[in-house]
Amino acid sequence: MPTPLPDFSNSVKLKYVKLGYQYLVNHFLTFLLVPIMVGIVIEVLRMGPEEMVNLWRSLEFDLVQIICSIFLIVFIVTVYFMSRPRPVYLVDYACFKPPVTCRVPFATFMEHSRLIDPDDKKSVDFQMRILERSGLGEETYLPPANHYIPPNPTMEAAKKEAEMVIFSAIDSLLEKTGIKPKDIDILVVNCSMFSPTPSLSAMVVNKYKLRSNIRSFNLSGMGCSAGVISLDLARDLLQVHPNSNALVISTEIITPNYYKGKQRSMLLPNCLFRMGAAAILLSNRRHDRRRAKYRLVHVVRTHKGADDKAYRCVYEEEDPQGISGISLSKDLMAIAGEALKSNITTMGPLVLPASEQLLFLFSLIGRKLINPKKKPYIPDFKQAFDHFCIHAGGRAVIDELEKHLQLQPEHVEPSRMTLHRFGNTSSSSLWYELNYLESKGRMKKGDRIWQIGFGSGFKCNSAVWKCNRTIKPPVDGPWADSIHKYPVHIPEVVKL
């Protein structure tokens, strides 16, 4: 059996039990009143016509009481509908499909690494060992500037990559939805490592001649989980701006981030990160409900930046030779586990059925009163979700979540196959995974999807979607020419 999260009960038991208790208490009246109402209806149906007429005549109605009751009911209904958050729909989305000329097989990557620094055999061997165990396939993509020997990470090259991935995704989205650029009210762009002036959001406004009163935002430095942060920002904006459309762009520009040094912790991103982008159209318009693919149910964000180790586990810095790069700490997986525990502590009561919460409560009481050494009960999130889109940050990330959440291989299949086919595309990887599920024809009406993203800071963010309609496999998109090959077996080690 998979091992549970470390010290799970010690870290979340109080908050989790409290939230579970609140959930049951909040719905106690519903559980109590429904049987009573059913009993009353049954008794009324058993009465004969004469008895019902006599009962009606025995009731004394006062006009003032009737008017006050009607007014109270109308007031309560009005307050309820006005205070209820506006539903946010995902009309459609599009993922960037890189051109074949950007493909980087293992042999090409390793040959370029040797030619860039022929005297540093240790670094080349280290990157080869990482690639062998990475879970990446032979058809991932790097931007054109990274194919030069040595790479050419100029500002101009980075802008060209940004224009290629972002504009291609937006063009595809506009074609699929039929929406005009002038109809976009909100624009959110997230890209962590590349933040030019003017911003990437301004670049989109200029390219598509968006309205002058558009609400535009550019998020940078927020890591691979920034895609969910962008969704959260767009959702909040759609709550205060009725009848609006929001365009969300999630990407990572790889060109300026190639590390040329010898620090091993900084060589890892060279091996894992690949180019990609996604464009998402959100709407709070009622008439978009029927054509929308999904409805946003929950967004839960967790930030562990107050802890020094978590803050520095993914860190941009210079090595002893003054070469800048992204350093990945050895404590990354442990920190990710802690962030995940905090995230599911909040997520659990929102999505888990009462049966799972009660099982957790009984397990906790049993460990407290009977056997303290008994393993804590791990809630079964498969009871709450039909599909899981785990950030394809690397093989170790997927393995850890599969183990800790006690998932089956089919639940992590979209993440593994996305990592194999496209590599770690940062914040956009969640959308390649969702597109994988659609391309396989697995998305049915009513299905719930859990998107989980991890990012620097350290952050763990989740988004929960509900499918509005059964989705037919798309005829285009990033998986169109390769979905028939998947799933594929990914060996533990690929000998190069």
Side-chain angles (χ1 to χ4, degrees):
M1 293 293 293
T3 56
L5 290 170
D7 299 327
F8 184 87
S9 61
N10 292 333
S11 59
V12 304
K13 59 183 180 182
L14 294 177
K15 183 176 180 181
Y16 201 88
V17 171
K18 181 179 178 181
L19 291 172
Y21 173 76
Q22 290 175 346
Y23 176 86
L24 293 176
V25 170
N26 290 339
H27 294 80
F28 177 75
L29 288 178
T30 302
F31 299 142
L32 180 65
L33 292 177
V34 167
I36 295 175
M37 295 299 296
V38 171
I40 293 174
V41 171
I42 293 175
E43 288 299 322
V44 170
L45 293 176
R46 287 179 178 177
M47 296 174 62
E50 294 183 0
E51 293 178 336
M52 295 181 67
V53 170
N54 293 332
L55 178 63
W56 176 264
R57 289 176 177 175
S58 65
L59 296 175
E60 295 181 0
F61 293 99
D62 184 82
L63 182 60
V64 176
Q65 292 178 348
I66 295 175
I67 294 175
C68 291
S69 299
I70 294 174
F71 175 79
L72 181 61
I73 294 172
V74 172
F75 177 76
I76 293 174
V77 171
T78 303
V79 170
Y80 170 76
F81 280 102
M82 291 185 65
S83 61
R84 189 177 62 172
R86 290 189 177 92
V88 175
Y89 302 106
L90 191 159
V91 179
D92 212 333
Y93 67 97
C95 297
F96 168 68
K97 172 65 183 299
V100 179
T101 53
C102 293
R103 193 169 70 91
V104 53
F106 288 161
T108 302
F109 184 90
M110 296 312 305
E111 181 184 10
H112 285 202
S113 298
R114 294 188 186 97
L115 293 174
I116 290 169
D117 194 351
D119 298 327
D120 189 11
K121 188 175 183 300
K122 289 185 178 180
S123 295
V124 174
D125 292 342
F126 173 75
Q127 292 183 82
M128 182 173 68
R129 291 196 300 272
I130 294 298
L131 275 180
E132 289 176 340
R133 295 162 175 80
S134 64
L136 272 69
E138 296 279 1
E139 296 187 22
T140 59
Y141 304 89
L142 284 174
N146 287 30
H147 288 262
Y148 286 95
I149 303 175
N152 183 34
T154 63
M155 174 69 73
E156 187 62 28
K159 287 182 178 180
K160 286 183 178 180
E161 181 195 350
E163 292 173 354
M164 176 171 61
V165 300
I166 293 176
F167 294 165
S168 296
I170 295 176
D171 289 343
S172 179
L173 179 64
L174 295 179
E175 182 180 355
K176 292 168 70 173
T177 60
I179 190 173
K180 299 178 181 179
K182 296 292 184 182
D183 294 331
I184 297 173
D185 306 285
I186 299 166
L187 173 65
V188 183
V189 180
N190 69 263
C191 178
S192 294
M193 299 302 299
F194 182 59
S195 184
T197 301
S199 65
L200 295 177
S201 60
M203 182 183 74
V204 174
V205 172
N206 176 260
K207 166 68 176 180
Y208 293 95
K209 310 304 178 188
L210 303 182
R211 300 199 316 262
S212 60
N213 63 342
I214 190 169
R215 296 164 183 86
S216 173
F217 300 86
N218 195 95
L219 306 181
S220 63
M222 306 200 76
C224 300
S225 66
V228 180
I229 298 174
S230 296
L231 291 175
D232 189 34
L233 175 59
R235 180 193 63 171
D236 290 345
L237 292 167
L238 288 172
Q239 293 304 311
V240 296
H241 298 290
N243 200 35
S244 299
N245 289 315
L247 175 61
V248 176
I249 311 296
S250 292
T251 188
E252 188 58 73
I253 305 305
I254 306 299
T255 295
N257 304 320
Y258 185 86
Y259 176 65
K260 301 179 182 178
K262 302 179 181 181
Q263 202 78 7
R264 292 193 172 185
S265 62
M266 296 183 176
L267 287 170
L268 286 169
N270 288 356
C271 304
L272 299 177
F273 282 89
R274 297 294 186 264
M275 64 190 303
I280 305 99
L281 179 63
L282 304 176
S283 174
N284 60 11
R285 298 179 176 180
R286 291 187 178 181
H287 63 79
D288 283 332
R289 177 180 179 180
R290 290 188 176 182
R291 70 166 183 156
K293 285 186 173 182
Y294 306 96
R295 179 174 62 86
L296 184 59
V297 182
H298 301 294
V299 175
V300 175
R301 294 170 56 181
T302 303
H303 203 307
K304 307 292 287 187
D307 180 73
D308 291 339
K309 284 187 176 180
Y311 174 69
R312 294 188 65 92
C313 71
V314 181
Y315 202 76
E316 183 180 15
E317 58 185 350
E318 294 179 340
D319 65 10
Q321 288 72 40
I323 304 173
S324 62
I326 304 297
S327 175
L328 302 182
S329 169
K330 293 181 180 179
D331 301 325
L332 177 60
M333 295 313 305
I335 292 168
E338 292 298 322
L340 175 65
K341 287 191 295 183
S342 299
N343 192 265
I344 64 176
T345 299
T346 306
M347 175 68 73
L350 297 175
V351 298
L352 286 172
S355 58
E356 283 298 307
Q357 299 194 41
L358 284 174
L359 285 174
F360 182 86
L361 176 62
F362 294 151
S363 172
L364 189 62
I365 294 174
R367 292 181 71 247
K368 195 73 175 178
L369 301 178
I370 302 173
N371 183 11
K373 296 182 179 180
K374 185 180 179 181
K375 292 183 178 180
Y377 176 75
I378 306 300
D380 185 7
F381 280 91
K382 298 187 292 294
Q383 297 287 333
F385 301 108
D386 303 283
H387 308 286
F388 297 80
C389 294
I390 301 167
H391 167 52
R395 189 176 206 154
V397 175
I398 302 171
D399 289 344
E400 286 297 307
L401 265 73
E402 180 182 13
K403 179 177 67 175
H404 291 329
L405 297 178
Q406 300 182 1
L407 302 178
Q408 299 300 319
E410 59 267 22
H411 295 128
V412 296
E413 179 186 316
S415 303
R416 292 195 189 281
M417 298 306 110
T418 296
L419 181 64
H420 182 271
R421 178 67 180 85
F422 296 101
N424 180 357
T425 61
S426 189
S427 58
S428 64
S429 66
L430 300 175
W431 302 104
Y432 287 90
E433 295 166 19
L434 186 60
N435 194 258
Y436 177 87
L437 290 167
E438 292 182 3
S439 299
K440 281 293 184 182
R442 299 176 185 174
M443 202 60 66
K444 310 298 181 184
K445 182 178 180 180
D447 284 0
R448 287 200 168 203
I449 307 97
W450 185 10
Q451 291 182 324
I452 315 171
F454 296 91
S456 59
F458 187 84
K459 298 180 283 292
C460 176
N461 300 321
S462 298
V464 178
W465 301 90
K466 186 174 182 180
C467 187
N468 282 350
R469 54 185 171 84
T470 300
I471 299 174
K472 297 180 180 179
V475 296
D476 55 0
W479 292 95
D481 60 348
S482 58
I483 191 64
H484 62 282
K485 304 176 185 177
Y486 287 89
V488 298
H489 171 67
I490 304 176
E492 291 293 327
V493 180
V494 179
K495 281 297 181 182
L496 301 181

